[in-house]
Amino acid sequence: MSAVPGRELRIIGFLCNWCSYGGADTAGVSRFEQPTDLRVVRVPCSGRIDPLFIVRAFLNGADGVLVSGCHPGDCHYSEGNYHARRRLELLKHLLPAAGIDPARFHYTWVSASEGAKWQQTVTDFTNRIHELGPAPAFCGASTPEDWAAVALGAANGPGCSDHGGDGK
């Protein structure tokens, strides 16, 4: 069921085939109650996730994106999650430049035996996205002038607390 009764948001989850997808399956088999807002994209490894997949999900209307892979050191492909961790952390810092609230993105590590952890992670993230509400739409920007306006809005941003909060 949705975290908020009667209302579902679009949350995309990129899950590693070997650990996190197994963790989600374990949660389902164990009949742990989970929000239904998450739409799962099963990937061979979290290291396979190009940060552009995440940006594209937001540009296509996702309200939140969750990435989950094997715990560092437990990667089926040895070091795919180490690559993922570097890319995803960098992406998290770059999302505001694209006008995307970084609170709408989260990455985590869940093994196949951690069904309870998966259930808690999905519930917490879904609740966070419901508190934030629907993401601002990017559609409607089809001309260079529209995209310039979007870029200007992202450049002005919410402001920096270290510099007076006026974004300058």
Side-chain angles (χ1 to χ4, degrees):
M1 93 179 156
S2 174
V4 176
R7 181 135 193 261
E8 282 196 1
L9 293 178
R10 292 166 290 200
I11 302 172
I12 306 298
F14 292 98
L15 307 183
C16 152
N17 177 56
W18 301 101
C19 290
S20 295
Y21 192 83
D25 192 40
T26 300
V29 169
S30 301
R31 299 185 182 261
F32 294 140
E33 190 170 313
Q34 302 176 52
T36 57
D37 305 73
L38 186 75
R39 301 295 180 259
V40 173
V41 178
R42 190 177 184 178
V43 295
C45 176
S46 59
R48 172 62 182 92
I49 299 169
D50 187 322
L52 290 177
F53 295 172
I54 296 159
V55 172
R56 181 165 281 201
F58 280 117
L59 292 177
N60 286 321
D63 298 305
V65 176
L66 174 68
V67 174
S68 187
C70 302
H71 288 280
D74 289 341
C75 179
H76 187 78
Y77 300 102
S78 298
E79 50 193 38
N81 51 11
Y82 290 121
H83 296 295
R85 183 170 59 188
R86 275 182 266 159
R87 289 184 202 137
L88 298 175
E89 192 60 37
L90 181 61
L91 174 68
K92 198 169 195 167
H93 292 287
L94 294 175
L95 284 176
I100 300 168
D101 184 352
R104 295 183 178 280
F105 170 68
H106 182 65
Y107 68 89
T108 187
W109 317 115
V110 175
S111 76
S113 64
E114 295 178 320
K117 180 180 179 182
W118 172 254
Q119 184 257 351
Q120 189 63 48
T121 299
V122 169
T123 301
D124 291 346
F125 186 67
T126 302
N127 287 338
R128 181 194 318 168
I129 298 303
H130 277 275
E131 288 171 9
L132 293 170
F138 287 95
C139 56
S142 58
T143 66
E145 293 81 19
D146 292 341
W147 284 109
V150 169
L152 181 62
N156 289 333
C160 175
S161 61
D162 293 336
H163 298 94
D166 60 356
K168 295 181 181 176

